Amino acid sequence: MNLQCPLPTTNKDSIRLGHGSGGEMTQQLLKEFIQPLFKNTWIDQAHDSATLPWDSDRLVFTTDSFVITPLFFPGGDIGKLAVYGTVNDLAMGGAEAKFLSCSLILEEGLPFNTLKKVLQSMAGAAEETGVKLVTGDTKVVERGKGDGIYINTSGVGSLLSNHPIDPSYIRPGDRILLSGDIGRHGITVMASREGLEFETALTSDCAPLNAAISALLQGGIPLHCLRDLTRGGLATALVELAETSGQAFELDEAQIPVCESVYGACEMLGLDPLYVANEGRFVAFIPAEYADQASAILREERVGASCAIIGKVTGKPSAQVILKNSLGCDRLLQRLPGEQLPRIC
């Protein structure tokens, strides 16, 4: 097995794999090279998508790129990821996805049958989520200069709620609702890549989240903030939200669902499931009086059957995330420092 652990470094001469982890090195890249040059109201929201002024409706816009290997894995493939990922980013802003663009970067030698399977998967995912793919681009790179196929998708949507849903709306007392068990995607991709087998078949959590968000909004749940869990896992997402909102969170480790196969694989590989990637999970910040109602609504959705209230916003002045274990001990969570497994989404 070829595990890599590119931790943060003082070398600032070149890009490393960890700069794509979504963790601490990614934050360094954003803060030092990108945000200072493109600073504006919308990029400062630091959210999965940007809510923009556009006539009478507010336009929501996002983009993402997908570089996973292998291209096909139990529970999903790069085509589904490319559509679901952008639809999910729009849903995290409280928006319904309307239109997508798609740019394909193909490696010379990619079999047409593989390309056909990926495109068919994208078409099925678009139909499932109700989004229209309306424009795109194709480039081909030399043999050996890509992993078969890279995909970029951008999406626009319209806001479903009466106000933007973003970190600035997180309030003391909010409950933190996790939509399901964590870590399936990262462990599934790692097992596919390395040929690992488990006693129980494990599949990725790759899934669209728009229907679940729509159900919560239609049920009258005042969602303060949403965030889907991808690279860096649950812990990194919550640390980002704590820092952006300026709020402190407290988590109950016993309430965080982790399936037995993921837990066992993490123990074997020395990984923490809190930092393993997901592609069909999200957290929602909800006023305490709506938490039980929101849980009941979410359990009716395919992606929310194992949802759980895992913590709360404490109102303490420091922007940090504290995990309480079964013994009552506290653990301060940090961002994922480097990259556990590259090319995973």
Side-chain angles (χ1 to χ4, degrees), residues 6-20 25 28-29 32-33:
L7 295 174
T9 176
T10 55
N11 175 17
K12 295 186 176 181
D13 294 333
S14 60
I15 289 289
R16 302 180 64 202
L17 282 172
H19 286 114
M25 293 178 72
Q28 292 174 357
L29 181 68
E32 293 181 20
F33 291 92

Side-chain angles (χ1 to χ4, degrees), residues 68 73 81 183-189 204-205 277-279 344-345:
I68 192 169
F73 50 87
L81 281 178
R184 286 177 176 268
H185 179 71
I187 295 300
T188 298
V189 172
S204 167
D205 50 53
N278 310 267
E279 283 295 337
I344 199 168
C345 60

Side-chain angles (χ1 to χ4, degrees), residues 219-234:
I221 305 300
L223 300 171
H224 286 173
C225 186
L226 298 163
R227 178 61 54 91
D228 60 339
L229 312 177
T230 55
R231 299 166 303 166
L234 173 67

Side-chain angles (χ1 to χ4, degrees), residues 91-284:
M92 295 303 107
E96 178 185 21
K98 296 290 189 182
F99 303 108
L100 288 186
S101 71
C102 171
S103 291
L104 301 174
I105 299 175
L106 309 176
E107 182 180 357
E108 182 184 23
L110 177 73
F112 278 117
N113 282 341
T114 301
L115 177 60
K116 186 177 180 180
K117 285 176 63 178
V118 170
L119 294 177
Q120 287 175 334
S121 182
M122 291 187 72
E127 182 176 0
E128 178 184 5
T129 55
V131 70
K132 303 295 183 187
L133 199 158
V134 295
T135 188
D137 180 53
T138 301
K139 296 289 188 299
V140 178
V141 298
E142 297 173 7
R143 192 184 299 269
K145 298 295 179 65
D147 286 327
I149 178 172
Y150 298 146
I151 302 176
N152 171 270
T153 50
S154 297
V156 294
S158 59
L159 208 57
L160 290 172
S161 66
N162 293 326
H163 62 78
I165 296 171
D166 65 48
S168 67
Y169 287 87
I170 294 175
R171 295 289 182 270
D174 279 356
R175 295 300 187 262
I176 304 171
L177 174 61
L178 172 63
S179 66
D181 63 305
I182 58 173
R184 286 177 176 268
H185 179 71
I187 295 300
T188 298
V189 172
M190 180 179 289
S192 296
R193 194 181 295 178
E194 305 295 345
L196 302 179
E197 294 184 357
F198 305 106
E199 291 184 4
T200 304
L202 190 60
T203 60
S204 167
D205 50 53
C206 174
L209 303 174
N210 56 325
I213 302 305
S214 178
L216 289 170
L217 290 170
Q218 290 177 6
I221 305 300
L223 300 171
H224 286 173
C225 186
L226 298 163
R227 178 61 54 91
D228 60 339
L229 312 177
T230 55
R231 299 166 303 166
L234 173 67
T236 300
L238 289 177
V239 170
E240 286 179 358
L241 290 175
E243 292 179 354
T244 306
S245 67
Q247 300 284 349
F249 308 154
E250 182 178 287
L251 306 181
D252 182 351
E253 186 174 33
Q255 300 303 314
I256 299 174
V258 182
C259 81
E260 200 168 309
S261 294
V262 169
Y263 188 78
C266 286
E267 277 204 325
M268 180 178 68
L269 298 169
L271 301 175
D272 185 338
L274 295 174
Y275 291 91
V276 176
N278 310 267
E279 283 295 337
R281 298 288 185 260
F282 68 92
V283 289

